[in-house]
């Protein structure tokens, strides 16, 4: 293999994996309210090195909601193209247990002032479909989440 080919491979965008949960608890759907940008997202986040997608799903749910996963099933993958990388969002439908501990948000989640809320399915669709956040990508993020909820219902 020539040096030119190796250099062209290294210039390809990286692929990052993330998980998102359409998470139900006692008939309500969990959303995360990113107060710093007034944006609503599904619980989830990046898959860490050495972690499976399912392990990331369980970790993110525990960190962000305080609940443990009771049942889960894979729904779909949504791939986003960013300037320097692709992000694969692996979407799962999740049923949470009935008891929770206190959420343990990461430093970044505390900085962004992210808090869990539980809402009915139609209220979630309304927030994700029509609410306008203040971040330049709020509409795109909420559209991704809206599509995930529709696909899992």
């Amino acid at each position: 293999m020539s040096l030119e080919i190796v250099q062209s491979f290294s210039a390809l965008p990286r692929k990052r994996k993330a998980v998102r949960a359409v998470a139900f608890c006692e008939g309500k759907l969990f959303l995360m309210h990113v107060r710093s940008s007034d944006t609503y997202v599904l619980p989830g986040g990046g898959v860490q090195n050495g972690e499976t997608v399912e392990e990331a799903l369980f970790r993110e749910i525990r960190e962000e909601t305080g609940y443990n996963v009771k049942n889960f099933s894979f729904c779909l993958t949504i791939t986003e193209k960013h300037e320097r990388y692709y992000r694969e969002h692996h979407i799962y439908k999740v049923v949470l247990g009935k008891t929770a501990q206190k959420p343990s948000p990461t430093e970044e989640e505390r900085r962004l002032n992210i808090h869990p809320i539980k809402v009915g399915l139609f209220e979630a669709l309304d927030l994700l479909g029509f609410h306008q956040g203040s971040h330049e990508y709020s509409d795109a993020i909420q559209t991704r989440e809206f599509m995930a909820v529709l696909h899992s219902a």
Side-chain angles (χ1 to χ4, degrees), residues 21-45:
V22 180
F24 291 93
C25 182
E26 300 177 341
K28 298 284 187 175
L29 179 66
F30 263 102
L31 292 178
M32 305 304 295
H33 184 207
V34 184
R35 292 181 181 169
S36 62
S37 64
D38 196 23
T39 303
Y40 292 91
V41 298
L42 295 170

Side-chain angles (χ1 to χ4, degrees), residues 113-128:
N113 202 7
I114 299 176
H115 295 276
I117 62 168
K118 282 196 277 188
V119 296
L121 178 60
F122 292 114
E123 184 179 354
L125 290 170
D126 187 53
L127 286 169
L128 295 171

